Amino acid sequence: MLALDPDAAGDQATLRGLQVARQAMDHETGLCFDARGLLRSERRLKADIRVTTLPGGMDPDEVVARDPRNGSGLLVRPNR
């Protein structure tokens, strides 16, 4: 888990982290259809990466401090 502040610097760090993950993690290649219905080859990360926003623009430490029992669960709970 990587928890970053919800500001411009945190947004940029998130994008950099995704780029690093894309380069460093293992990939698999598969076939899929594009929007026009044409078959194409696609590389996919062998990872489950999820990005979420924090409630009310709070910093990660504030979320956990506010509710230590459930705060960390918010950071790792998948969006539905």
Side-chain angles (χ1 to χ4, degrees):
M1 174 178 32
L2 179 63
L4 302 167
D5 290 351
D7 56 14
D11 292 346
Q12 290 299 315
T14 299
L15 294 175
R16 280 194 311 273
L18 292 171
Q19 289 171 349
V20 168
R22 190 176 315 140
Q23 294 169 356
M25 294 180 145
D26 291 333
H27 293 81
E28 61 187 8
T29 303
L31 296 175
C32 67
F33 291 98
D34 66 11
R36 297 175 294 170
L38 301 175
L39 193 60
R40 67 180 178 94
S41 177
E42 178 179 84
R43 285 182 56 181
R44 296 182 196 139
L45 287 177
K46 288 184 177 182
D48 182 14
I49 298 176
R50 299 174 188 194
V51 177
T52 188
T53 56
L54 299 177
M58 298 172 69
D59 288 346
D61 60 321
E62 294 172 321
V63 172
V64 175
R66 181 180 189 187
D67 188 355
R69 189 175 203 186
N70 297 315
S72 60
L74 173 69
L75 298 176
V76 297
R77 183 177 53 228
N79 291 333
R80 296 192 194 259

